[in-house]
Amino acid sequence: MQEKIMEILQSVRPDIDFAKEQALIDDGLLESFDVIQIMTTFMDEFDVYIDADDIEPENLNSFDAICAFLTQKIGS
Amino acid sequence: MIKNIVDYLEITQQRFGDKTAYLDAESSVTFTQLKEDARQIAAGLLKDVPKGAPVLVCMEKCVGSIEAFLGVAYTGAFYVPIDIKMPYERIKLIMDTLSAKVLLTRRNDEIPDEIRQTCKILCIEDLMEASYENRDAEIEKRQRASIDADPAYAIFTSGSTGVPKGVVVSHRSVINFTEWWCETFEFDENEVFANQTPFYFDASVKDIYATLRCGATMHIVPKKLFSLPKQLVHFLNEKEITCIDWVPSALCMIVNFHTLEKETPAHLKKVMFLGEVMPTKQFNMWRRALPDVKYANLYGPTEATGDCTYYKIEREFADDEPIPIGYACNNTEVLLLDGDRLVTEEGETGEICVRGCSLAYGYFRNPEKTQEVFVENPLQKDYHERIYRTGDLAKYNAYGELVFLSRKDSQIKHMGHRIELGEIETALGAVDGIKRACCFYDHKKQKIVSVFEGDTNQEEVIAHLKNRLPVYMIPNQFIKVEEMPVNLNGKIDRVLLKETYLQ
């Protein structure tokens, strides 16, 4: 699943080193447009429901945080 | 009579001096303090900046930026807002075009050494702390010499040949627009704006000068909130925001993730969108959640100052029905032209051309590009009149409203930004190892796709582009091909490339 997540992130923003960045939201690296694209693709790809409560820095600031968030979503 | 944007400040300060004008996450300023700070900045600029000269303003978006803009305006010079995160090479292109002598910044903002060597760097904090002899008298001298035809600002937009174009806009155009904007949408001192658009994007001119004209209040929304819908709506409530004028992607993010089902912005009365096409489905979601809010769709290129058409949305629209861009703004006429012929029939396609005092002067030190798009009005044979050809195609619907259709060239709108694909192609062409490259836009997936031929890889190409282009211009997808397909003329076969990709 991690590979798929990375593939989705890079398909939206190939200029960002997702393996390294730890403050994707707090440093303003991801814009609203990117967040929409990434989250919409996650919903389609992993068949999960994501709403505003989920879109918080702790779930999106790093690749590890995103993986943990999606793992929890899929399991719930 | 208003002839300079600082006249708004002078008048409003007398009426609402103690009222808060602008706020960012760290600071705020009243109209009285704003006038004092702007005059201090002006005084510090006078000896280095003659009337009519460009002054770069390069700092993180903040209250100080607005103080800097107005300080420049007091001197009779014009300001050029620069994105501080823009790659140095692009800033250098703009500086070379302008030959600007002075750059305004703040102490804590980092300006690259290369820029420090090419012009005088002044920090607004230093200028505000200094004392000046005959400050107000010297400023009055400059103001007496200023006329409404003087340039107020120049905003740089993407240029198809790889060099950004500086659109020069007069005080008269800004004032004409601001008067119309405030009257049409009934702004007064009770209005509270939440500014989204960057200051190097001309849409921000609207929030800034409507606030100044009406004695309203403008909050600069922290950028990261536009990636956090719940916090963004909470911000609107916390700051009691009454009006937003945002790009559609910010509005879509809120409804796409069902934010308005959890919290509604209770003070919001006016919602406008601009910069790109608002998807009607998402608009309807807004209207269902907030039925009492007034909505408007706004359209206009930087070359026509703010907006040149507007549409107050009062009737219902199906999810697959485009929202019109409506009717021309005050003192502006929109001519729909097919070549030199005026289009008047419903459904017929024409190019949106604009006439009136909202027109910019053209592009700074770029007569060729200026002459390409600021042309003689073909419908006026008796005397010389300029119109601006936008390159946007539109039609009239059954209601006589203008409806945007598409671009007629390779300019795109991506994430609310206006981008010439040619500028990206020029940057790609400069990458070591790339023989040929081209770009196209996948409208369905909203992605910039680049195709290149040569001895390099995606990582190297991205590393190079990051030094030349703003982040929003870096392609979302890179395709390396063995050999670029060409047509009978030996040119890259863009149609074939795009078709192949889309399949």
Side-chain angles (χ1 to χ4, degrees), chain B residues 57-112:
Chain B
V57 178
C58 189
M59 58 182 81
E60 291 283 352
K61 187 179 178 187
C62 64
V63 168
S65 317
I66 300 165
E67 293 173 326
F69 298 161
L70 295 168
V72 174
Y74 268 123
T75 69
F78 66 95
Y79 65 86
V80 184
I82 302 285
D83 174 12
I84 195 166
K85 295 202 167 65
M86 192 189 288
Y88 162 69
E89 286 188 30
R90 199 161 194 264
I91 296 180
K92 176 87 172 36
L93 283 174
I94 292 172
M95 292 180 71
D96 288 347
T97 303
L98 290 166
S99 309
K101 300 283 188 293
V102 174
L103 181 146
L104 282 173
T105 188
R106 293 184 306 176
R107 283 177 192 148
N108 290 336
D109 287 325
E110 286 180 20
I111 302 295

Side-chain angles (χ1 to χ4, degrees), chain B residues 21-22 37 96 123 145 147 171 197 204 277 337 348 391 431 495-496:
Chain B
Y22 302 99
D37 292 347
D96 288 347
C123 292
I147 63 171
H171 287 272
T197 47
S204 64
V277 175
L337 295 180
E348 207 181 347
V431 179
V495 177
L496 177 64

Side-chain angles (χ1 to χ4, degrees), chain B residues 219-236:
Chain B
H219 288 266
I220 296 172
V221 186
K223 188 179 170 220
K224 78 170 186 180
L225 292 194
F226 289 100
S227 300
L228 303 169
K230 191 173 150 190
Q231 291 188 31
L232 182 56
V233 171
H234 190 67
F235 180 92
L236 297 180

Side-chain angles (χ1 to χ4, degrees), chain B residues 401-417:
Chain B
E401 302 153 347
L402 273 173
V403 178
F404 174 83
L405 294 172
S406 64
R407 285 292 300 175
K408 70 169 196 174
D409 55 19
S410 62
Q411 188 186 102
I412 59 161
K413 276 291 177 83
H414 178 59
M415 298 165 65
H417 296 281

Side-chain angles (χ1 to χ4, degrees), chain B residues 13 19-20 56 84 172-173 210 251 270 315 378 384 483:
Chain B
Q13 184 270 329
K19 192 167 177 288
T20 300
L56 300 169
I84 195 166
R172 178 168 51 205
S173 297
L251 297 168
K270 295 158 195 167
R315 62 186 169 88
H384 166 75
E483 196 171 346

